Amino acid sequence: VGHARRRTTCSPSASASGAIHLIVGPMFAGKSSKLLEEAARLGTLQGAEVLYLKSSKDKRYSETHIATHAGVQVPCFAVSHLMRDVSSEGRQDDAGSASEQARRRYVSSGIVAIDEAQFFGEDLVEFCTRAADDDAKTVVVAGLDGDFLRGKFGHVLDMVPLADSVVKLHASCAVCGGRAVFSKKIDGDLGRQE
């Protein structure tokens, strides 16, 4: 993966530099709620527009919104590849396409909020690094850090050394009520990570 981090938090122009904030934890830990809360807070603080993105694989509550388990929904762009579908590097699609709309919104946004990050490929790291380092955007990323076998899930953990902050949330165990640090798969194919 090997992306060099060019941002510094102690530079004289720190206000003009980007940042990456990572929110991780198991299912039902409140990651999407924390993402929406943090993106809105930063948008207000910076007076910046927020671009909301999620993986197109996430169709649990809505295909067009980031949705929390508590029922809060925020319109977003559901994309399969961050670099291809959102990055503004030279690609142009039909003016009305979702990808072209997402790219235009990316250019005008100072905050980028990404939900269900575990479903993105290696381009998660490249996209977030470029957004923060090259485009001076604040990126807030939420996703599962591990799977039901307590193994790495996607490329979310690759973001840790690049992040300006990392928040690990916990769920409540459905069995004992204690703090849950990983998800349990209760149905479906146990051979599949997703």
Side-chain angles (χ1 to χ4, degrees):
V1 170
H3 296 279
R5 180 179 172 167
R6 294 185 299 269
R7 287 173 287 127
T8 61
T9 55
C10 58
S11 71
S13 62
S15 63
S17 67
I20 297 173
H21 302 288
L22 186 60
I23 303 164
V24 298
M27 293 173 62
F28 296 98
K31 297 179 304 298
S32 296
S33 296
K34 181 72 172 169
L35 171 84
L36 296 178
E37 174 188 308
E38 186 65 8
R41 184 186 74 79
L42 290 167
T44 300
L45 186 67
Q46 296 179 18
E49 188 174 338
V50 180
L51 169 63
Y52 293 97
L53 303 168
K54 75 171 184 173
S55 169
S56 58
K57 290 182 180 181
D58 177 25
K59 299 177 182 183
R60 294 168 302 152
Y61 298 115
S62 171
E63 293 188 24
T64 59
H65 291 71
I66 292 175
T68 70
H69 296 300
V72 175
Q73 294 193 10
V74 173
C76 71
F77 291 96
V79 298
S80 57
H81 296 90
L82 292 164
M83 291 300 294
R84 183 189 72 202
D85 297 336
V86 183
S87 177
S88 58
E89 291 187 7
R91 183 182 167 129
Q92 286 197 329
D93 291 322
D94 177 41
S97 74
S99 293
E100 192 58 35
Q101 290 176 34
R103 279 194 282 281
R104 281 197 305 270
R105 186 74 179 270
Y106 175 83
V107 171
S108 67
S109 298
I111 313 292
V112 179
I114 303 171
D115 199 25
E116 300 296 343
Q118 72 276 0
F119 293 131
F120 291 109
E122 288 183 17
D123 73 333
L124 173 68
V125 174
E126 182 180 6
F127 177 83
C128 293
T129 304
R130 285 190 185 186
D133 294 349
D134 298 342
D135 298 335
K137 296 188 185 299
T138 300
V139 185
V140 185
V141 180
L144 296 172
D145 53 345
D147 63 11
F148 67 101
L149 295 173
R150 300 178 88 174
K152 180 180 166 185
F153 198 143
H155 293 276
V156 173
L157 292 179
D158 297 335
M159 299 293 302
V160 171
L162 305 170
D164 294 84
S165 69
V166 179
V167 173
K168 169 82 173 187
L169 300 177
H170 303 92
S172 294
C173 177
V175 176
C176 71
R179 191 169 78 161
V181 295
F182 66 96
S183 302
K184 179 179 179 183
K185 192 169 193 177
I186 56 174
D187 62 3
D189 181 359
L190 295 179
R192 287 190 56 214
Q193 188 176 41
E194 291 180 19

